[in-house]
Amino acid sequence: MKQTILIITLFFSLIELAQAQRYPFRAFSIEQGLSESVVYDIAQDDNGYIWLATGFGLNRYDGVNFRNYFEEQGLNSSRLRSLLKDDRGIIWIGSEAGVNFIKDDSIHTDPDYSALNNSTVISIYQDMLGDMWFGTDGNGVWHYSDGIQIAQYTTSNGLGDNRVRAVAESENGTLWFATRDGLTVLENGNFRTYGTDEGLPANRIRDVKVDQSGTVWIGTRSGLVKYDGKEFKVFDVQDGLINDLIRTVSITEKGELWIGTEGGISHFDGEDFKNFDAGSGISNEIIYSSLIDSERNVWFGTFGGGVNFFIGDYFANYDTELGLTNNLVTSFTEDQNGRIWIATYGGGITIYEDGNLTPYQENSSLPDNQVYTLFKDSNGDIWIGMREGLARVSNGYLKVFQDKEFPFRKVRNVMEASDGSFWISTYDDGIVHYRDGKFEQITTEEGIISNRVLDSVEGDDGSIWIATYGGITRYLDGEFQSFAIQEGLPNNAVMNLMHDDDGTIWAATFGGLAWFDGLKFQSITVEDGLPDDVAYFIYKNSEGFYWIGSTEGVIRFDKDAYFSSNDRNRNLSFKILNKELGLITNELNLGAVYEDSSGVLWFGTVEGLSRFDPNRYSVSQVPPKVHITAVNASGRDYEPDREFKLSHRENYVEISYTGINFSAPNQILYEYQLSGIDPEWQRTNSRSVKYPSLPPGEYTFKIHGRNINGAWSPEVEELKFVISAPFWMQWWFWILIGSIIVGIIYLFYNYYRVRKMIDIERMRVRIASDLHDDVGASLTEIALQSDFLLAGDIQGEIKKSLAQIGDNCRKIVSSLDDIVWSIDARNDTLGDLTDRMQDYVLNTLEKKNMDVWYDFENLNMDNKLPVSVKENVYLIFKEAVNNIAKYSNGDRVVIKMENQNGSFEFNILDNGTTGRGTKKTGHGLRNMEMRAKRIGADISINTENGFSITVKGKLKPNQR
């Protein structure tokens, strides 16, 4: 009996292994940057970041990198247990020493919650009123509102147990508490606890959730419980649940459940369970926590396996561990019974049926196990092309073509033409045409471009298009036409051909794609947006998309979008489904693509096969949230969330950013622009951009991004900074330099001006001395000689002439004395002028017995006067004194002069009476007006009440 049980157990284990398939789970643990491999809780903030509470530290994940937080960063304790994002976007953290919260990317401690510091907070919940509930491990649940403690509820208040693992709320405000000894409900201020007596399968409750319909879902140690307000309905392993020990429950928008247990994961759609265990791809079967993010991806925190990320079950992967005979998968076909035949290079053929992978029973009868291609013809026969020959399965019987009948090797493809004949591609022996039971070899001697033939298709006109390593040959009615790079192919190594519904011939080459326009081939390469130049195959499925195998994954090509878009947006027509999105590996195999009768696509790779169900592939339109994460300027880091100013030496700027998209974080396309540098938006897949040698100025860096499905982030992130100019480029520096230059010019000008003035003054002194010593002495000598002659006995006209000569000489000497005084630079001050005035008054008016008053108190006697001012003022003064001496009948003269602010005023007047000899007009008065005009001064002459003259002007006059 025991042997029978053992045999049955082993049998079901083998069935389970054969039916196993790997799904696209991604695991992140310590190796990827997680601080600890036990993940107790998961949350997502408003910026899109995923937060993970572990047994040692808090972690923030952006899709690429982890950032760790410990007590050094502000945590009360690094041993965390729970997380929650509240309605304000704040992340609350429950630890073994109370609670912290994260705001503005910093960890804070609120003293209002210090009462929790002695408790291990294992659950956090915010109710509809905004109040906070903190479930603890042994101290019941604490109720807070706006930081004020409302109450602490324990078993004494009606809780089933003081260990509260989860809190949930119904639409009517009823609160549900998952405790270690039953499910407690708080309704209308009253507590009530449900346990096994009320229908629960177990009292140890691990999680509780309320869906949109108000149904309460309860995770227990003995299965999943549904409570509709009337009764408890239990689901356990007998109903399909993977394990009864439930630890976490998450509910999707559709009301479906993801259930984490201690034996794996179950997905419940309301009727059936779909289970995932270690064989399905999860890193650890003990699931502690779960979260459905904004992209509808599901996260699972495990006990010892880090966090697992599930993006969907549209890919199912198989390799040798799951039943494949070899991981190098080369071709597929489907027989009339719906079984999928899988060709491998080195493992023969594997049959897929009802989820089972089994080796083909006739593998040992094949010439070799290196199979290149499988093809089902119109009769349902399956052709097998191998390295060592050709075989055909008809009505379940295998026929191997013998060397005598088919002496060719390396059969890469079999194609059935519309006339019922077959075209068999060989790697070294050209193409073989099979018709009416006979094989006809066609090689380069007949006209094909190369004997290394990889594929063939038939055109609408019955032509046969042959793909070779040397290009493409078109064969029709015995004539050959070849196409190579010169005829538009991007590369001569053509690996696959396709004839689409429009009649267009497509080619997959080592340099990209090409399509025939009727005359020549038109290429599509990486320059046109194709993600990879290597194209192993091209296939159009029933949905109308073109699928391209590459070294970067499977590329989905939207032909209509490509030809209707402009050059800049053509790359949006390509989408890569790679290992990141669930493909078993990124490198595909030549021609290894097949669409089965249900529309499922099969892809052969170098590491196994991937089964892709387009109906399960949901296109997420959630755009990435782009954040600028770091700024480095010439080796110095700056905070990107505030404006900053850089020196001119910090002009090498590197800006790092990230787009929050977990489905395909490495396929985010970013657009960025730096004002003044980038004339238009630049595109990149890189997460950083560098700007060397930025000139001084104000800059604004803008960036946004799109996900793999073309959804652009709605907001553009901005970063503003200033690079200051060096001091030699600052405005004040140029003003200073200008001032220095002007100053230097002024100094040189002033130096030469002073030198010139000194030279002029020396010249004036020399001229004055020469005039005085030479001319003046000569005139005086003439005057003396005329006097000497007059003393003699001279009569008549000669005597009269000699007298005139003497008088004129004395007049000239007197005038010359004034000129010499004016010219002499040693007489340029106001003091010299006033002294000269007084001397002249003394010689002229003293004999008139006139009382002369001088008012020179407001004069700065050391001020120098221009020669023209000094000369003309003195001559005006002299003319006025002479006029007074000749015509005034007064006995008092007042002479006044003052200067201030660069101006002067000169007055002279007497107390004579009008009409008593004062001459009102004449040559002297006109001379005074003329001299005033010369120095730009104003002169007023008044003869009504005595004689008075007033002259007003500038010490440095405008000469006119």
Side-chain angles (χ1 to χ4, degrees):
M1 183 66 182
K2 289 183 179 180
Q3 290 179 345
T4 302
I5 294 174
L6 179 60
I7 292 173
I8 293 173
T9 302
L10 289 173
F11 173 75
F12 281 106
S13 298
L14 289 172
I15 291 178
E16 183 178 358
L17 176 62
Q19 292 180 337
Q21 50 193 337
R22 288 200 180 93
Y23 290 96
F25 284 94
R26 297 183 211 156
F28 306 99
S29 192
I30 296 174
E31 294 81 3
Q32 289 76 36
L34 194 65
S35 63
E36 212 244 6
S37 59
V38 179
V39 180
Y40 285 97
D41 207 354
I42 312 171
Q44 184 176 28
D45 65 19
D46 291 337
N47 290 322
Y49 293 108
I50 294 294
W51 295 85
L52 305 166
T54 74
F56 181 66
L58 178 68
N59 299 262
R60 191 190 75 178
Y61 184 57
D62 63 7
V64 178
N65 299 307
F66 285 93
R67 182 176 179 179
N68 309 129
Y69 300 82
F70 304 99
E71 293 178 21
E72 293 81 358
Q73 284 73 41
L75 290 175
N76 292 340
S77 170
S78 295
R79 300 177 65 85
L80 308 183
R81 292 293 182 269
S82 54
L83 293 172
L84 175 82
K85 180 184 77 71
D86 69 12
D87 55 12
R88 296 173 295 172
I90 295 174
I91 299 291
W92 291 85
I93 309 159
S95 70
E96 292 187 357
V99 294
N100 297 103
F101 65 90
I102 291 183
K103 186 177 181 182
D104 298 329
D105 204 27
S106 298
I107 297 176
H108 302 269
T109 301
D110 193 332
D112 293 338
Y113 297 88
S114 59
L116 293 167
N117 289 351
N118 295 322
S119 299
T120 299
V121 178
I122 58 176
S123 61
I124 308 174
Y125 184 78
Q126 184 180 31
D127 64 24
M128 291 185 293
L129 298 177
D131 292 356
M132 302 295 298
W133 297 81
F134 300 95
T136 69
D137 189 13
N139 291 323
V141 63
W142 298 66
H143 180 197
Y144 278 82
S145 178
D146 293 328
I148 301 174
Q149 180 183 339
I150 303 299
Q152 177 188 6
Y153 301 106
T154 63
T155 52
S156 61
N157 303 103
L159 277 179
D161 187 82
N162 286 333
R163 184 177 295 177
V164 180
R165 298 184 180 276
V167 184
E169 185 178 16
S170 300
E171 287 187 356
N172 60 3
T174 300
L175 289 170
W176 303 84
F177 303 95
T179 79
R180 193 177 175 82
D181 193 19
L183 179 67
T184 299
V185 58
L186 175 60
E187 187 174 15
N188 298 324
N190 299 313
F191 286 95
R192 180 185 176 184
T193 298
Y194 297 94
T196 54
D197 294 339
E198 287 75 25
L200 287 176
N203 286 338
R204 296 178 66 178
I205 313 298
R206 292 298 185 97
D207 201 4
V208 58
K209 291 289 191 301
V210 180
D211 65 18
Q212 295 179 351
S213 66
T215 301
V216 181
W217 295 91
I218 308 153
T220 77
R221 298 280 295 177
S222 298
L224 176 69
V225 180
K226 176 182 178 181
Y227 180 64
D228 59 6
K230 297 179 181 178
E231 62 176 353
F232 295 100
K233 183 178 181 180
V234 180
F235 302 88
D236 55 23
V237 291
Q238 296 181 358
D239 301 295
L241 187 67
I242 193 169
N243 189 284
D244 288 340
L245 300 174
I246 296 176
R247 299 192 69 100
T248 178
V249 177
S250 289
I251 304 175
T252 69
E253 294 177 352
K254 297 180 180 180
E256 299 175 351
L257 273 64
W258 286 94
I259 305 145
T261 76
E262 293 188 10
I265 301 165
S266 288
H267 175 255
F268 184 52
D269 61 6
E271 296 182 0
D272 299 313
F273 289 92
K274 185 174 184 178
N275 297 324
F276 305 87
D277 56 14
S280 305
I282 61 176
S283 61
N284 192 289
E285 293 181 346
I286 301 177
I287 310 299
Y288 265 18
S289 54
S290 60
L291 171 77
I292 300 172
D293 67 19
S294 59
E295 300 173 46
R296 298 189 293 276
N297 305 309
V298 190
W299 299 76
F300 299 99
T302 73
F303 180 76
V307 64
N308 284 251
F309 171 73
F310 184 65
I311 59 176
D313 57 356
Y314 46 83
F315 270 117
N317 298 321
Y318 303 85
D319 57 15
T320 53
E321 294 181 0
L322 300 177
L324 270 181
T325 52
N326 191 282
N327 280 338
L328 197 61
V329 178
T330 55
S331 186
F332 307 90
T333 194
E334 184 177 11
D335 65 19
Q336 293 178 329
N337 297 319
R339 301 184 305 168
I340 302 298
W341 292 52
I342 305 164
T344 70
Y345 190 81
I349 299 170
T350 303
I351 305 296
Y352 176 87
E353 183 179 13
D354 297 330
N356 299 326
L357 290 173
T358 58
Y360 175 48
Q361 60 185 1
E362 298 292 340
N363 271 343
S364 60
S365 300
L366 294 174
D368 72 304
N369 60 5
Q370 296 171 327
V371 182
Y372 285 119
T373 186
L374 295 170
F375 172 71
K376 185 181 75 171
D377 65 20
S378 56
N379 294 321
D381 294 348
I382 294 178
W383 295 73
I384 306 169
M386 297 159 287
R387 182 177 177 86
E388 297 299 327
L390 178 69
R392 181 175 63 183
V393 178
S394 180
N395 297 319
Y397 294 98
L398 173 69
K399 176 186 177 180
V400 177
F401 292 92
Q402 301 301 316
D403 289 348
K404 182 178 180 180
E405 184 180 9
F406 187 85
F408 312 109
R409 296 292 180 267
K410 299 179 182 178
V411 176
R412 303 305 299 261
N413 179 259
V414 178
M415 185 270 292
E416 184 178 11
S418 57
D419 61 3
S421 65
F422 294 88
W423 295 83
I424 303 165
S425 302
T426 72
Y427 189 73
D428 290 321
D429 298 315
I431 191 165
V432 179
H433 188 201
Y434 179 64
R435 179 171 50 187
D436 299 328
K438 296 181 179 180
F439 295 97
E440 177 188 359
Q441 183 184 18
I442 302 173
T443 66
T444 55
E445 295 181 0
E446 285 73 32
I448 64 174
I449 197 169
S450 171
N451 285 334
R452 291 189 172 182
V453 181
L454 298 174
D455 196 13
S456 64
V457 295
E458 184 179 9
D460 286 343
D461 57 358
S463 59
I464 303 300
W465 296 75
I466 304 166
T468 79
Y469 254 38
I472 297 174
T473 297
R474 179 176 180 264
Y475 173 70
L476 179 64
D477 298 332
E479 295 185 358
F480 297 89
Q481 181 184 8
S482 294
F483 303 87
I485 292 177
Q486 295 83 351
E487 289 74 35
L489 287 177
N491 191 287
N492 286 339
V494 182
M495 290 174 280
N496 185 239
L497 294 172
M498 182 190 69
H499 175 219
D500 70 10
D501 299 337
D502 301 328
T504 303
I505 300 297
W506 290 81
T509 80
F510 261 128
L513 300 179
W515 57 278
F516 189 66
D517 65 2
L519 295 175
K520 60 183 296 186
F521 280 93
Q522 303 292 335
S523 63
I524 300 175
T525 66
V526 290
E527 295 179 355
D528 305 301
L530 188 67
D532 186 21
D533 270 336
V534 177
Y536 289 119
F537 59 74
I538 179 169
Y539 176 78
K540 183 178 181 180
N541 74 336
S542 55
E543 289 186 325
F545 290 111
Y546 292 69
W547 298 86
I548 304 157
S550 76
T551 60
E552 300 291 335
V554 177
I555 302 168
R556 194 186 77 173
F557 173 45
D558 188 338
K559 185 193 77 170
D560 295 336
Y562 177 84
F563 286 109
S564 63
S565 61
N566 56 37
D567 292 342
R568 180 170 174 79
N569 293 317
R570 279 184 170 176
N571 60 344
L572 302 180
S573 306
F574 300 94
K575 179 187 297 183
I576 300 179
L577 300 180
N578 54 16
K579 188 173 182 179
E580 184 179 56
L581 288 169
L583 191 69
I584 193 168
T585 191
N586 287 341
E587 185 174 358
L588 280 295
N589 273 331
L590 188 149
V593 58
Y594 185 77
E595 182 177 13
D596 66 23
S597 56
S598 62
V600 172
L601 291 170
W602 297 75
F603 300 114
T605 79
V606 297
E607 294 185 15
L609 71 88
S610 289
R611 182 176 178 270
F612 176 73
D613 188 349
N615 296 321
R616 291 183 177 272
Y617 178 65
S618 60
V619 178
S620 173
Q621 292 301 324
V622 179
K625 295 183 178 181
V626 179
H627 305 291
I628 298 173
T629 57
V631 179
N632 185 279
S634 299
R636 183 178 178 184
D637 294 327
Y638 290 88
E639 292 294 331
D641 57 350
R642 59 180 66 108
E643 292 187 30
F644 52 88
K645 189 173 184 179
L646 306 175
S647 72
H648 68 279
R649 295 185 182 89
E650 298 175 300
N651 62 347
Y652 188 101
V653 178
E654 180 178 4
I655 303 172
S656 301
Y657 43 81
T658 187
I660 307 298
N661 176 268
F662 299 105
S663 300
N666 293 311
Q667 294 191 51
I668 296 176
L669 179 67
Y670 298 96
E671 277 192 344
Y672 66 89
Q673 185 179 41
L674 183 64
S675 60
I677 301 298
D678 299 318
E680 59 183 15
W681 288 95
Q682 308 296 311
R683 287 185 171 178
T684 183
N685 292 108
S686 175
R687 290 186 180 83
S688 66
V689 61
K690 298 177 181 179
Y691 290 98
S693 302
L694 286 175
E698 296 183 1
Y699 294 98
T700 300
F701 178 79
K702 299 179 180 180
I703 187 166
H704 65 150
R706 71 158 181 86
N707 65 8
I708 185 177
N709 297 310
W712 286 95
S713 53
E715 298 179 355
V716 177
E717 281 285 297
E718 289 189 0
L719 170 71
K720 294 184 178 181
F721 62 95
V722 176
I723 297 180
S724 61
F727 70 90
W728 61 84
M729 294 180 66
Q730 299 282 2
W731 62 268
W732 57 264
F733 178 79
W734 287 107
I735 291 176
L736 178 61
I737 292 297
S739 300
I740 292 173
I741 293 173
V742 170
I744 292 173
I745 293 173
Y746 175 76
L747 287 175
F748 276 102
Y749 167 76
N750 197 52
Y751 171 77
Y752 286 109
R753 186 179 65 85
V754 171
R755 285 288 302 271
K756 187 176 180 180
M757 290 176 63
I758 292 172
D759 292 342
I760 291 173
E761 288 184 357
R762 288 175 178 172
M763 182 178 66
R764 287 169 57 199
V765 171
R766 186 174 65 253
I767 292 172
S769 299
D770 292 344
L771 287 173
H772 182 272
D773 295 340
D774 296 337
V775 179
S778 298
L779 289 172
T780 302
E781 184 176 353
I782 292 171
L784 290 174
Q785 287 180 356
S786 66
D787 290 341
F788 177 76
L789 292 173
L790 284 174
D793 189 11
I794 298 175
Q795 300 295 328
E797 290 297 327
I798 295 176
K799 185 174 183 179
K800 184 178 180 181
S801 296
L802 288 174
Q804 289 178 350
I805 290 172
D807 291 340
N808 287 335
C809 285
R810 289 182 178 87
K811 288 181 180 179
I812 292 173
V813 170
S814 177
S815 297
L816 184 61
D817 188 49
D818 289 339
I819 293 173
V820 170
W821 176 81
S822 298
I823 291 175
D824 197 338
R826 293 170 292 186
N827 302 319
D828 285 348
T829 65
L830 277 169
D832 296 325
L833 175 61
T834 56
D835 289 345
R836 183 75 175 178
M837 288 178 175
Q838 293 180 64
D839 289 342
Y840 189 75
V841 168
L842 184 64
N843 294 328
T844 306
L845 297 180
E846 184 176 355
K847 55 188 176 182
K848 295 289 188 177
N849 294 319
M850 284 189 175
D851 188 11
V852 181
W853 289 78
Y854 299 98
D855 186 358
F856 297 149
E857 293 183 0
N858 294 325
L859 287 180
N860 186 348
M861 296 300 182
D862 294 328
N863 280 359
K864 283 195 172 186
L865 292 172
V867 175
S868 59
V869 173
K870 179 183 71 171
E871 177 184 7
N872 286 285
V873 169
Y874 176 70
L875 292 177
I876 291 172
F877 160 79
K878 186 176 179 182
E879 190 70 37
V881 170
N882 287 335
N883 203 24
I884 291 173
K886 291 179 180 180
Y887 305 111
S888 177
N889 59 1
D891 59 359
R892 188 166 182 260
V893 177
V894 177
I895 301 172
K896 180 179 180 183
M897 189 173 183
E898 58 184 8
N899 74 303
Q900 57 182 356
N901 299 325
S903 299
F904 72 90
E905 182 177 344
F906 167 71
N907 301 97
I908 184 170
L909 59 91
D910 65 3
N911 61 350
T913 57
T914 303
R916 294 175 57 188
T918 304
K919 190 174 182 179
K920 298 182 181 179
T921 61
H923 185 69
L925 297 181
R926 288 195 297 272
N927 283 344
M928 286 190 282
E929 290 175 351
M930 179 189 67
R931 295 185 184 282
K933 187 176 181 180
R934 283 180 180 175
I935 61 174
D938 297 324
I939 185 170
S940 60
I941 302 173
N942 189 357
T943 58
E944 294 297 327
N945 298 309
F947 180 75
S948 66
I949 295 175
T950 301
V951 181
K952 294 181 180 179
K954 301 289 185 181
L955 292 178
K956 293 183 179 181
N958 295 321
Q959 301 293 332
R960 290 184 286 179

